Amino acid sequence: MSTTTTRGVAQPASAKVSKDRPRRGLRASSTFNFWLFTAPFLIGLIVFVFVPIGWSIYLSFFEARFTVTPSDFVGFENYKQVLTDVDFLNSLVTFSVFAAFIVPTTWAFSLGLALLVNRLRFMRAFFRSVFFLPTAVSYVAASLIWKMSLFNGVRFGLANTVIGWFGVDNIAWLASPDPPWYWLVIVTVRLWLQSGFYMILFIAALQNIPRELYEAASIDGAKPGWQTFRYITLPQLRATSTAVILLLLVAAYQAFDEFFNLLSKATWGQPPLVELYKMALGENQNYGAGSAGAVVLTMLICVVTLLQGKIMGFGRGEEGK
Amino acid sequence: MSALSNSNWDRRNVLRAAMGLAAAGGLTACGGNNGRSGGGSGDSLVQYFHAYGEAGTEQAIKKYAKAYKGANVSTQWITGSNFEQKLFAALLTKNAPDVFEFHPQIQLIKSGQVADLSDIINPVKDDFNQADITSHTVDGKIYGVRMIDDPQFFFYRPSLFAKAKVEVPTTLEELIEVSAKLKTNKIKGAYLGNDLTPVQSNLIWSAGADTLTADNKPAFNTDGVAEGLKQLRTLFTSGNLLLGAPTDWWDPSAFIQGLTAIQWCGMWAMPAMQQALGDDIGIFPFPKVGSAGKQSVTNGGWSMFVNAKGKNVEAAKEYVKWLWIDQKEYQEDWATSYGFHIPPRTSIAQTATKLKTGLPAEGVKLFNEFGHFDNIGWTQAMISSVNDVMANCVRKNDDPKAQLDACEKKVDTELKKLFG
C-alpha cells in the first residue's frame, strides 16, 4: 500500500520537472518538427518526382534521341508524332480492354473471396494468409512462372497438360493474337497477384457492417443469401468498393511488368507504359517522343480519375452522396 | 525503460546519433564506393557483358579481367533479354561502362558514344577477317574489336529425317513440307524462335534481297520477301511449328529435349547439343526463298567497344588492346572452350583445333559459303521495324506488301537522320 502511495507521489514529480523546463525555441516549435519529419520525404518527392516530370515536359519539346540533354527545339512535333502513332493509339485501346477485363473481374473475385473467408468458422487466418500471399510475389517472377511453366506452348506446360487430357492439341498461348489467348494469361496472372490485397480490404469492410442490420432484416423477413447480400452487404460496401475500383483502375494504367515479360516483340497487347518504354528506352532511344507520350498519358489519367471521382462520388462525405 | 522514454536528453541524443549516421553514410557514399572494385581514380574500369548461356563464360571473362595488371576491371554481367536497352540507358549516365560488348551500329558512332580504335587495330588489321573489319569501319576509322563470329543456321536430327524419309530442305517450300512430315504427337517439325524474329534477316537474304544497298538505301522491300513472309505465315499456322517454348531460339534445350526435329540456333550451342545427342546432329543454311534467292547464314557475333564519353578512355583502350588483340590464348579460350564461336583473327581461327573436324568444321564451311555479316548502317531501330513486320505479317496475318511499305518508310526516316 505504501509503495503504491510512493509511486503515486513520484509521478506528479515528473510533471513538475516538465513544468520547470518549458519547451523553448526550435524544440518547442511544431513548425520545426513538421519540417524535420516532412522534409526528407518532400526532398525525395521533389528530386525523384517533380524534377523528372519537369525534365520530361522539357524533353517533350526537343529532338532528344540518344540524349537527355538536347539542344534541338522542335515545338509540338513530338506530340504530333505520338498522337498520330498507331501503336500508341492502339495501346490506349489495349488498356481499355485490359481495364474492362481486370477491374470488374478483380473486384468480383476479391469480394467473393472476402465473403467466403469471412464466413469461415475454422482456419480463417490460414486461408486469409494463403490468399494474401501472392501479393508479396513480384510481377516479373509471376509472369515468368506463367509464361514458362503454366502457359508455355509445349506439351508439358500445365495448361496444355490439362487440356491434353481432353484430347485437345497444344495451344501456343502467347504466340499469336488470333485467337487472343494471351488475355487469359495476362488476366489470370494479375488476378492471382492482386486479389488477395483487395480481399483484405473487403474483409475489413465486412467486419464493420453492424450485425443489427442483418438482425433487423431477418426480423423483416429478408432471406439470408442473395437478398441480404443485395440489399445490405453490397450497399454497406459502397465506400470500399469505390476505393477498390479506383485503385484497380490506377493499377491497370500502371500495367507494365506482365505485358513486357509475357509479350515480347509482339505488336498487340501493348499497354501505354510498354509502348512508351519502347519509344523512349527501347531501340529508338527517343526521349523526346517518349516524354511527349508520358505527358499525354498523365493528362489522360488525371481526366479519367477526376471523371471517375465525380461519377462514383469518391472523396465526398456521406452527406454529399 | 520508462525512465529512458521520459528523458528528453536521450531522445535528443538518439536523434543526433541518427542524423550523424545518416551524414556519415552520405559522406561514405560520396567516396569510392561506386560499384567499381578498388583502386584510385583513373585505374578502375567497368565492362558490360550480356549473359552468355554457356557454363563458365562469366567466370572466364572475370578471370581475364583479373589477370590484367593495368587497371582494376570489374564486370557487370547483364542477365535478361534486354541487354540493348540497359546498355543504351547506362551510356547516358555517369555510371556508364568504360568498355562494353555490342554489335557495330552507326548510331553509336554518330552520337559520339564509341571511341575510334583504329590506332590499336591497324597494326594487326590484316590478321582479322576482313568482313569484320569492314563492318566496324566508318570513314576509314575502326570503332570496335570483334571478339567472336557466331554463325547461325538450322540444326536437325538426321535419325528423325531418316525415319520420316525426308531430305534436307533447300527451299522454304521444302522446309514447310519437311516440317509437316516430321511432326508427330510428341515432336514438332521446326522451331524458329518464339517470335520468329531470329530468321528475319535470313528471309530477306534468302529471297535475294538485302537489308540496305551499298549506298545505304532500303533494299528489303521486294516481291520475293513479301512472298517469303506469306510462306512463313503458312508455316506458322500449320501446327507443325514449335511455338511458346520455355526457352528461346538461342538455347538448345528445345532441340535437346526432343520438342522439335529442326531448330534455328547458333554454333555456340554445338557442344551442348553434341553432349546430349552425340552424332545425331546435322546443320543446314536458311533455305532459298523464291527462284531468285540463295541459301543464307547469319554471321552474328559480338565486339568490344570503348565508351568515348567515359572518364578513362585511354585506359579502356589499353585494356581492350591487351585482352582482345594481344592475348591470343584468352581469345581462343573464349571462342572454343565454352560454346563454339569462330575467332575473327585468322591466325587464331587457323590453329583452333576444335573447329577443324566434324560438325564445327561444317559450321565454318557454311559460314564461309553462305554467311552475311553485320551491316553497320542497319541499326537497332531498323531491326525493330522489321520485328514489327514479322509480328504483323506472320503472326497476325496483315498484308506483307503494306507492312513492308510501312517499314520502308520508317527505315528511310532513320537513314535520313543518320546519313542526311
Side-chain angles (χ1 to χ4, degrees):
Chain A
M1 190 67 185
S2 62
T3 311
T4 309
T5 309
T6 310
R7 278 182 183 167
V9 171
Q11 281 173 349
S14 169
K16 190 167 178 275
V17 170
S18 183
K19 198 177 175 184
D20 289 346
R21 297 173 58 197
R23 289 164 178 256
R24 287 190 308 273
L26 286 176
R27 272 184 57 224
S29 163
S30 59
T31 309
F32 172 76
N33 288 333
F34 170 80
W35 284 112
L36 181 69
F37 289 100
T38 310
F41 299 100
L42 198 61
I43 291 166
L45 197 67
I46 290 167
V47 171
F48 296 110
V49 178
F50 292 132
V51 169
I53 287 175
W55 197 254
S56 193
I57 292 169
Y58 172 79
L59 282 176
S60 70
F61 293 105
F62 285 82
E63 166 72 21
R65 282 163 53 86
F66 287 84
T67 179
V68 286
T69 51
S71 56
D72 188 6
F73 182 77
V74 292
F76 285 94
E77 198 56 42
N78 287 322
Y79 287 92
K80 195 177 147 195
Q81 184 190 328
V82 164
L83 291 170
T84 53
D85 184 346
V86 179
D87 292 337
F88 182 71
L89 298 175
N90 280 344
S91 75
L92 297 176
V93 176
T94 300
F95 158 72
S96 306
V97 174
F98 178 58
F101 266 128
I102 202 69
V103 174
T105 314
T106 313
W107 177 85
F109 194 69
S110 49
L111 177 58
L113 280 180
L115 290 167
L116 285 173
V117 172
N118 201 41
R119 287 177 71 88
L120 284 174
R121 290 179 184 277
F122 305 103
M123 300 180 76
R124 186 191 292 186
F126 171 77
F127 281 105
R128 204 167 46 198
S129 305
V130 164
F131 292 130
F132 183 73
L133 216 54
T135 307
V137 177
S138 118
Y139 271 59
V140 176
S143 301
L144 291 178
I145 292 168
W146 251 246
K147 181 183 183 176
M148 296 169 86
S149 300
L150 306 186
F151 288 98
N152 66 39
V154 301
R155 62 175 186 271
F156 48 71
L158 184 68
N160 278 339
T161 304
V162 171
I163 64 170
W165 294 336
F166 302 96
V168 180
D169 201 9
N170 293 343
I171 293 174
W173 303 94
L174 294 163
S176 167
D178 182 29
W181 286 116
Y182 64 92
W183 278 125
L184 178 74
V185 185
I186 285 168
V187 169
T188 50
V189 70
R190 184 164 269 233
L191 205 56
W192 182 75
L193 282 165
Q194 60 179 19
S195 292
F197 173 73
Y198 296 108
M199 176 198 75
I200 294 290
L201 297 188
F202 277 124
I203 288 175
L206 284 170
Q207 288 171 353
N208 274 337
I209 301 174
R211 301 296 314 162
E212 294 79 9
L213 281 177
Y214 291 103
E215 287 163 11
S218 176
I219 291 165
D220 288 347
K223 292 174 191 162
W226 171 248
Q227 211 171 29
T228 313
F229 174 74
R230 166 79 179 78
Y231 292 103
I232 297 177
T233 310
L234 209 53
Q236 288 294 314
L237 294 177
R238 184 191 158 97
T240 308
S241 284
T242 307
V244 164
I245 289 169
L246 183 71
L247 290 172
L248 282 170
L249 203 60
V250 171
Y253 261 117
Q254 292 174 336
F256 179 85
D257 293 349
E258 68 270 51
F259 286 88
F260 185 79
N261 286 290
L262 292 171
L263 295 174
S264 56
K265 289 189 182 162
T267 52
W268 53 89
Q270 306 289 293
L273 285 193
V274 173
E275 208 52 56
L276 292 179
Y277 176 85
K278 281 183 175 177
M279 209 180 279
L281 296 161
E283 283 83 1
N284 289 316
Q285 294 279 297
N286 193 340
Y287 293 95
S291 298
V295 172
V296 170
L297 188 63
T298 306
M299 287 167 69
L300 201 63
I301 291 173
C302 288
V303 170
V304 170
T305 309
L306 287 172
L307 277 177
Q308 199 218 5
K310 196 165 180 60
I311 293 164
M312 299 194 71
F314 184 70
R316 246 183 273 157
E318 283 300 315
E319 70 283 356
K321 287 179 185 172
Chain B
M1 180 66 193
S2 65
L4 274 174
S5 62
N6 281 334
S7 164
N8 286 327
W9 187 88
D10 284 309
R11 195 166 58 202
R12 196 165 55 203
N13 273 9
V14 167
L15 191 61
R16 276 179 185 159
M19 290 175 80
L21 275 173
L27 288 171
T28 310
C30 293
N33 184 15
N34 56 4
R36 300 179 180 189
S37 60
S41 62
D43 62 353
S44 290
L45 299 173
V46 174
Q47 59 177 357
Y48 269 26
F49 272 79
H50 82 284
Y52 286 67
E54 300 89 74
T57 45
E58 184 180 0
Q59 291 78 3
I61 278 297
K62 287 181 175 169
K63 181 184 79 178
Y64 310 151
K66 199 174 175 187
Y68 183 58
K69 302 298 175 204
N72 290 313
V73 183
S74 60
T75 305
Q76 296 249 0
W77 193 254
I78 313 284
T79 54
S81 58
N82 55 340
F83 174 73
E84 291 87 354
Q85 285 96 321
K86 286 176 183 168
L87 173 67
F88 287 161
L91 285 174
L92 296 175
T93 69
K94 285 182 178 173
N95 289 325
D98 301 287
V99 179
F100 59 91
E101 64 165 2
F102 201 58
H103 315 290
Q105 296 211 340
I106 200 162
Q107 179 69 62
L108 293 170
I109 298 159
K110 293 275 180 184
S111 52
Q113 285 176 316
V114 291
D116 174 13
L117 303 182
S118 306
D119 54 337
I120 63 169
I121 299 172
N122 275 335
V124 290
K125 190 177 159 184
D126 294 341
D127 190 34
F128 272 90
N129 184 323
Q130 290 308 295
D132 281 328
I133 292 292
T134 305
S135 69
H136 292 70
T137 304
V138 174
D139 297 332
K141 294 176 181 171
I142 307 169
Y143 286 90
V145 184
R146 195 62 151 185
M147 297 183 297
I148 42 174
D149 281 321
D150 285 330
Q152 293 152 40
F153 27 63
F154 279 114
F155 289 79
Y156 72 99
R157 300 270 302 276
S159 63
L160 297 175
F161 271 51
K163 199 174 165 190
K165 297 189 176 71
V166 292
E167 296 294 321
V168 172
T170 56
T171 65
L172 191 52
E173 289 97 328
E174 286 174 11
L175 178 69
I176 295 167
E177 286 165 20
V178 164
S179 301
K181 287 178 182 164
L182 289 165
K183 194 232 171 188
T184 68
N185 58 354
K186 291 271 182 197
I187 192 165
K188 293 280 186 181
Y191 182 41
L192 279 65
N194 281 326
D195 53 37
L196 280 71
T197 56
V199 297
Q200 66 188 30
S201 290
N202 291 86
L203 185 77
I204 294 168
W205 296 322
S206 283
D210 206 341
T211 50
L212 298 174
T213 59
D215 58 345
N216 293 312
K217 300 276 185 299
F220 55 84
N221 187 1
T222 67
D223 290 342
V225 174
E227 194 52 42
L229 287 166
K230 280 184 193 166
Q231 288 179 320
L232 269 190
R233 171 72 187 171
T234 310
L235 180 60
F236 181 78
T237 53
S238 66
N240 305 321
L241 199 62
L242 177 63
L243 296 167
T247 52
D248 217 337
W249 67 280
W250 46 265
D251 186 300
S253 299
F255 189 64
I256 289 169
Q257 291 166 1
L259 294 172
T260 179
I262 303 172
Q263 177 176 334
W264 184 261
C265 198
M267 205 167 100
W268 58 81
M270 265 183 198
M273 288 182 184
Q274 287 175 320
Q275 196 177 4
L277 302 169
D279 292 334
D280 190 18
I281 312 167
I283 52 175
F284 63 91
F286 193 89
K288 198 164 78 164
V289 179
S291 55
K294 189 191 173 190
Q295 291 163 295
S296 66
V297 163
T298 305
N299 283 343
W302 292 91
S303 315
M304 286 313 295
F305 296 91
V306 169
N307 176 8
K309 294 175 179 171
K311 290 173 193 158
N312 306 304
V313 176
E314 287 310 313
K317 281 172 75 171
E318 277 302 311
Y319 171 63
V320 170
K321 179 181 179 297
W322 175 82
L323 181 53
W324 298 111
I325 289 177
D326 298 340
Q327 302 301 312
K328 286 189 169 186
E329 194 186 324
Y330 286 156
Q331 290 160 42
E332 183 173 344
D333 179 64
W334 182 240
T336 60
S337 296
Y338 311 96
F340 286 155
H341 314 264
I342 298 175
R345 298 284 291 276
T346 314
S347 56
I348 302 172
Q350 281 170 350
T351 56
T353 50
K354 288 179 182 173
L355 307 180
K356 291 284 171 202
T357 54
L359 202 62
E362 212 177 317
V364 174
K365 193 174 160 225
L366 292 184
F367 168 84
N368 291 325
E369 197 175 344
F370 300 109
H372 290 259
F373 285 77
D374 283 324
N375 182 340
I376 199 163
W378 188 243
T379 64
Q380 207 67 31
M382 299 178 200
I383 293 167
S384 174
S385 298
V386 184
N387 286 168
D388 290 352
V389 173
M390 293 298 279
N392 289 335
C393 296
V394 183
R395 297 163 72 195
K396 204 178 163 193
N397 201 26
D398 282 0
D399 176 43
K401 200 64 192 144
Q403 284 295 320
L404 285 170
D405 287 345
C407 180
E408 186 175 349
K409 271 187 193 166
K410 285 185 195 171
V411 169
D412 219 25
T413 308
E414 287 294 315
L415 289 168
K416 283 197 176 88
K417 282 179 181 170
L418 291 169
F419 300 105

